[in-house]
Amino acid sequence: SSINIAGLAAGMACCILITLYVLHELSYDKFHSRAGRIFRVRLDLDLNGVLYREPSIPFPAAQALAHDFPEVEKAMRFYRNDDFPLLEIDDRKFIEERFFFTDAAIFEMFDFPLIKGDAKTVLSEPNSLVLTEDMARKYFGEAEPLGQTLRYQKQFDFKVTGVMKDVPNNAHFKFDFLAPLQFQLNLWESQSGPNGRHNHWFWTGAWTYLLLPEARAAQSFTEKFPAFVTKYFPDRIKGGLTLSLQPLTSIHLHSRLDNEIQPNGHVLYVYIFSAIALLILVIACINFVNLATAQSGTRAKEVGVRKVVGAVKSQLVGQILGESMIAGMIAMLLAAGLVELLLPAFNQLTERQLEISFLGNWTGLLLIFGSALFVGMLSGLYPAFFMSRFNPVGIFKKTTAVGGGNERFRKVLVVAQFAISIMLIIGLGAVHRQLRFLQAKELGFDKEQVLFIKARPAVNAKFDAFRNELLKDPGILNVAGTSNIPGEGAFGYRFVPEGGSLDKPAMLPLLLIDYDFLETAGIKVKQGRGITRTSPSDQAQAFLLNEKAAASLGWKDDAIGKKMQLFAPGRNEIGKSGYI
């Protein structure tokens, strides 16, 4: 019985842990009361054969959508600066990666409860700031945060006007600070004037959300997007551009676009883990049935005596099923203890904050005990009907074989149990080998002993001095700068290769580097040379291509010396001309 109950408890514990993960994945963004009516606008762009799939759209689009379509009740945007801001208070400084700019309509569209401040006015002033409970404690301790000032990027002062509850773990993205988007727009306006890229219909920098009157309105609304694209977007991209709506509650599991606010899950994982949980429980149940039928030989005389003194089949079935359900209940109690014990490690593994919340209410308790009874009953059905069929005369005369049950059925159960186990082990091996492949794959540069630091704009402006200071440390062999971490992704830019046309530029991802980058990253030059300080023209004219880029332009072994032009970001004019 101990072996039987322990096996069932282990299977139940695994099943509960995986079920907690699956339910958490399915719950994303459903805590918003208007979740069924909130949609994010996505953009798909086929530009000269290169497909861009973006969850963000140009900044002016939100106001245009709200103005042109009366069915849009609210439209609001999120924006995050890639140069994570520096916040200061007194002599303490912090770099905050979850600092977002947004529109004031956020508190009218989403359910992010404010603890302090008025939802209608907290973001009304350009320099106002809303922070979460956790950040309020981090910066101000037990002091009153409202009215306090935080220094932003060593230039601007933000005044705390609101404190909100921490963003739930099952939101498709998390933030710690919210500032008015108008502040960022005003800053861009002062830097680049009205012709800055924030006013253009090409740069997709704003994650944009719409509140519609009902979920069913999304289909008819999407049909109006082609005319909207024709009206506003530039001629050079409108032919290959489409807009569509993503339901808020489907973003986490069904959206795998190029510029997500933060990494999403995948509905396939939900299906896989659900199947694994079910298979583990099936293995435990089969184990229970096999052990119960194997024990039937030791209970044959008990069943015979009960039948002799008048027990009917239904009573015997009820007794054996009752024993199985009691075993199931005991196994569930043990499983609950195992889950409590293993949950912290499981949370660390899955990077979630799962908890057994259903144990604190009657519905959850009924579900747990009902599941235990069902599993116990399911596991005890075959042993109950098998043993209740024993012939007492045959038992006492030893002419009835007992203890094996239906041999064919028992073999099917054993084979099924082993098959499922082997399948799970093979799957585990495949996952392990895939992870090893990701860790050991040659990436084209040397990632060992190389440290990448996201430097701040002030560092970029004085990079040579910063580099020289670092090289004074004997433990640092080389220092170089680049616009992106290799492998993290790079923005696509428009190039005009030699023999190409301004009307049909080639789209290629671009990485900006300094003179020492190839040496520092261990990147080998296959043909030609890298950029050097001894060649004065390199800074203004040099382009380096990798093999794939050269092949996409039709240059295999003759790329060196070819001319190349680069469009200025967000503008329809050449920003740099040079050669490979």
Side-chain angles (χ1 to χ4, degrees), residues 68 70 91 157 217 227 231 235 275 295 305 321 445 447 477 543:
D68 290 8
D91 59 344
D157 289 326
K231 180 179 178 180
D235 291 337
Q295 284 180 300
V305 169
L321 280 179
F445 65 93
K447 65 181 187 294
L477 303 181
F543 289 96

Side-chain angles (χ1 to χ4, degrees), residues 65-66 68-74 211-214 217 220-221 224:
L65 287 166
D68 290 8
F69 304 111
E71 57 266 48
V72 177
E73 294 185 9
K74 299 286 180 184
L211 178 65
L212 301 182
E214 57 181 354
S220 59
F221 184 77
K224 302 176 182 179

Side-chain angles (χ1 to χ4, degrees), residues 66 101 140 209 245 269 289 315 335 355 444 503 518 548 560:
F101 295 94
F140 307 111
Y209 296 78
L245 295 178
Y269 301 153
V289 171
Q315 290 175 316
E355 53 186 25
D503 297 330
L518 297 186
K548 186 173 181 180
I560 307 303

